Amino acid sequence: MPKDAPQLGCADSPILKERGQHEVFCGLTSIVWLHRKMQDAFFLVVGSRTCAHLLQSAAGVMIFAEPRFATAILEETDLAGMADAHEELDRNVSQLLSRRPDIKRLFLVGSCPSEVIKIDLSTVAEKLTEKYSPNVNVINFSGSGIETTFTQGEDACLEAVIRSLPSSEKTQLAVLGALPDIVQDQMMRLLEQLGLENVFVLPQVKFDDDVSIGANTHFICVQPFLGASYEEMVRRGAQPICANFPFGADGTTRWLWAIAERFDVSKAKFDKVVAAPKLRAEQAIAAVASDLRGKSVFFFPDSQLEIPLARFLAAECGMELTEVGSPFIHKSLVYADLADLPATTQISEGQDVDKQLDRVFDYNPDLTVCGLGLANPLESKGLSTKWAIELVFSPIHFYEQAADLASLFARPLKRADLLKVST
Amino acid sequence: MKLSVWTYEGPPHVGAIRVATGMEKVHLVLHAPQGDTYADLLFTMIERRNHRPPVTYTTFQARDLGSDTASLFKSACHDAYNRFKPDLLLVGASCTAELIQDDPGGLAEALDLPIPVVALELPSYQRKENFGADETFFQIVKKLTTPQPRTENISCNLIGPTALGFRHRDDVEELEKVIQNLGIEVNVVAPMGSEPSDIVNLGAAHFNVLMYPETGESACRYLEKSLEQPFTKTVPIGVGALSDFIAEIETITGLTNLQNKVASRLPWYSASVDSTYLTGKRVFIFGDGSHVISAARIAKDEIGFEVVGLGCFNREMARPVRAFGKTLGCEALITEDYLEVEGAISELAPELILGTQMERHIGKRLGIPCAVISAPVHVQDFPARYSPQMGPEGANVIFDTWVHPLVMGLEEHLLTMFREDFEFSDANGPSHHAAHQPTSVQKENRSEEPVPKENSSNVIWMTDAEKELRKIPFFVRGKAKRNTERYAVDHGVIEISIDTLYEAKAHYAR
């Protein structure tokens, strides 16, 4: 190890826990990408005009592409009596299903208003499943802001999906987390080359996909924000595989190796499978990382991707970490990545946005990763920013995307150099 | 419950944020759960503001429900005051906090802050964004204004512009120029650009200019009653409206001969022979009430279009829009359901749509040109360049914006002459609009699946007639199809032949 290499290990370092104003999305936002991934599913939010407005603001132009999500907006009359609410939902759902007969899974998504007035969506979901069985399966989860932050919406959805799956004793591998199709295909090819059979991904693309879980199901997460799904899998008897998350050349290799070890794939075979794509990724990263080396980065909390991404930027791109903020830290999930962060890194969980803004100005980092509500205000104060939502929407996992991932961080720095007019 | 995919307006607290963000030295503390901060990015991204909206959200979580939310609200107020030191604090609740029934007004009062505090009632389950803005500004005005000695020279306030308003930034600049040209001083522009001390000073003006009824009418009515300030009723969008607006000012102020002091290029552009082809083009207009009324007037009286339909999404303006629709012989469509708007547009098959970003997408889907005249809008309608809607320059901007998406006159004739030309067929759309170019997929569909098989009335198109219909330029084809089918039904014709097509054409000839 070279002398100046930083000492690693944040697994046990103190975490700065804060509460105050959170500048984050609520879990409903997950619907924007989940509905694209689950092709026979419709997401019906039971909420207020605010929820509908949030979804259309977050979904941008996607709202015009006949999306498979909508909001049942609560009106004054719905707040008066609860019995009404169930009937109203029944009416809305039948209206919806008659318009979209292709829907096989209907998610009733709870929001802050529906949680506060305690509309029992899980009972409604059960009743509706009975009513529409076997054509439509109705499942409930909450994406409310009082319970979930941004990507936690996917976690809550997936947890509900897992709960509804049948049991089996088949020996198999489950990969948890929604990925862009092309990335998922790359992953499946690699696992196939390693000789793994019986691999499936959750959430499934189609409800009809034959999927079950039990004591011989091994599972690994591809996203760090799946804490509740992880625990639900364990409760169902499935056996977790924990590793670094598959970001960058090294992250991907470690993630794959953890699976290979569990399924007794020989080191020789493993090396043969990963050698070429790993080398390709390393070379591609090297070309981009020269713009990042030695630059400092600060993460505001957003998606829980922050810790694994910080590991990638520090270990594979040579960036210096100041503060890495995450809305929640599931230690059992991100342990490996935490352990690989330079020991000097400040890890924070939760947020008091005004205090965190004070800190970012103290650090004056070269790059700040933050949400869209903060990005332009920080840019106008002279900080370069990378808006974080793009990291959820873009293909960034596994070998072939490693350099694209580095580019997402390099682009704002490059741009700041390019522009010769000052604001 | 109401099933909804798209909403024209946000919840009322977004209206409150629009007022707070437009002003200076004002801070809003909003009792709201995590996630409601999404509203910030409307301002930092769509309007591209370089600072955070002056809003503190209490961000309560599930575990706070029960006991803790009230103290959370109090400490948020306290911290916001200490950090931002505003001259005025606004407090309110978003939809979820409205349900947990903490009383923001009472709680803030108890803090005994050394600045005025305005408590906002924002009924989220009944009202919407525009109400929120109008109400918030009204409450601020009610709290702060006091009778003042009138300015020595004749002066007015400009009332209504807010953050996230469609072209408010440039409308203010343009209208200030117009007013100053008339020899009248501008006392205060509010809410946008003002601070609490300016609101105190509103009473010094001789009258108010109500720029946007949606966001400023309650305040103007209050000022009329309490401070005896008359306010203008005409929104000066369009040449005719501008002239009426100036006439109103003459009546209010007693000044005379103000009319000649403003000029727009619209009248000459519209009169020039190049514009002849615009005559009677069928236009559908939708948006917020005041922009729709202004647009309809320009369309009919200043450009020579035929207004075939109009409507608005804000019920507050339903009455004036209906009344104006009647004068044009149209039944106004008052709805916030975009599917109804889409239905009306495809039924009427207009040649141009004037609307919001939603109508732009409807237009894209139906292949009808569209120009944007009203919020809600995307980021591209907060342009870097000067582009007001009001005043003489506003009329210039409007002429250019509306005419641009139309097929140009010469092109229209050439398309009719050479409709069989493979490189110049109407399937390629207007040559200056890449976005309008139908894909090859659509072209294939065209040849395989001839135009209009499905229709409600069970008339059948014969192959020849169908072919002939396709030769009709696309911008009038929808209308021709509809008229022919109606003609066929009315005359008991079951199969539409080429003759039926031309008989119908003759029958409906304008």
Side-chain angles (χ1 to χ4, degrees), chain A residues 99-414:
Chain A
R99 219 159 65 188
R100 298 295 300 259
D102 50 327
I103 298 305
K104 295 271 181 289
R105 286 179 284 183
L106 177 66
F107 289 95
L108 293 180
V109 190
S111 66
C112 300
S114 75
E115 298 292 330
V116 167
I117 62 172
K118 300 206 165 33
I119 298 181
D120 184 1
L121 290 180
S122 68
T123 305
V124 178
E126 272 170 38
K127 280 191 191 153
L128 288 172
T129 299
E130 256 170 56
K131 181 173 173 185
Y132 292 104
S133 168
N135 296 328
V136 187
N137 186 35
V138 185
I139 299 176
N140 151 248
F141 70 92
S142 173
S144 75
I146 55 177
E147 292 157 301
T148 60
T149 305
F150 196 27
T151 49
Q152 272 184 309
E154 176 173 334
D155 191 26
C157 174
L158 190 51
E159 183 196 15
V161 167
I162 292 168
R163 204 174 290 143
S164 72
L165 290 177
S167 300
S168 85
E169 295 306 305
K170 211 157 74 175
T171 301
Q172 53 186 354
L173 173 68
V175 181
L176 270 53
L179 286 174
D181 297 339
I182 184 170
V183 178
Q184 185 170 324
D185 292 347
Q186 290 167 11
M187 174 186 82
M188 293 303 260
R189 269 201 301 276
L190 284 164
L191 294 173
E192 193 184 318
Q193 286 163 9
L194 289 174
L196 290 166
E197 290 161 4
N198 302 328
V199 182
F200 66 92
V201 174
L202 288 173
Q204 353 54 315
V205 173
K206 297 249 181 200
F207 181 57
D208 309 334
D209 294 351
D210 181 25
V211 170
S212 55
I213 21 176
N216 296 320
T217 304
H218 302 263
F219 75 95
I220 188 163
C221 295
V222 81
Q223 301 281 21
F225 45 74
L226 299 174
S229 306
Y230 175 99
E231 276 155 31
E232 184 59 28
M233 288 295 281
V234 171
R235 216 169 294 137
R236 294 288 301 267
Q239 303 171 43
I241 304 171
C242 291
N244 295 83
F245 283 88
F247 298 118
D250 202 31
T252 304
T253 308
R254 289 176 190 220
W255 188 86
L256 287 168
W257 176 241
I259 297 170
E261 264 193 314
R262 176 69 60 87
F263 285 88
D264 292 326
V265 180
S266 73
K267 186 76 171 70
K269 181 172 186 179
F270 179 82
D271 286 343
K272 204 174 145 214
V273 169
V274 304
K278 181 165 181 273
L279 183 66
R280 203 154 58 216
E282 282 167 351
Q283 286 170 344
I285 294 170
V288 184
S290 59
D291 293 333
L292 295 174
R293 203 162 300 283
K295 300 271 170 48
S296 58
V297 59
F298 185 108
F299 279 89
F300 276 82
D302 193 58
S303 62
Q304 299 185 48
L305 289 165
E306 297 83 5
I307 288 169
L309 290 177
R311 185 215 52 85
F312 165 72
L313 290 178
E316 302 190 40
C317 301
M319 291 191 87
E320 283 166 17
L321 305 179
T322 54
E323 176 171 331
V324 177
S326 176
F328 286 96
I329 298 179
H330 292 280
K331 270 208 173 172
S332 47
L333 267 172
V334 293
Y335 190 87
D337 283 309
L338 262 183
D340 284 348
L341 294 185
T344 50
T345 312
Q346 172 68 64
I347 310 291
S348 65
E349 183 180 18
Q351 187 174 34
D352 183 330
V353 72
D354 289 312
K355 289 186 186 153
Q356 202 164 26
L357 283 166
D358 290 344
R359 292 202 297 279
V360 83
F361 290 121
D362 282 348
Y363 280 119
N364 193 25
D366 295 306
L367 186 67
T368 304
V369 185
C370 62
L372 289 174
L374 297 176
N376 271 337
L378 289 177
E379 289 280 349
S380 79
K381 296 231 156 54
L383 293 179
S384 282
T385 61
K386 164 76 220 107
W387 49 283
I389 303 159
E390 199 177 6
L391 298 162
V392 177
F393 290 154
S394 307
I396 58 170
H397 292 73
F398 297 103
Y399 291 128
E400 314 305 343
Q401 282 67 239
D404 300 342
L405 176 57
S407 302
L408 287 178
F409 295 97
R411 198 172 305 135
L413 296 171
K414 204 174 198 168

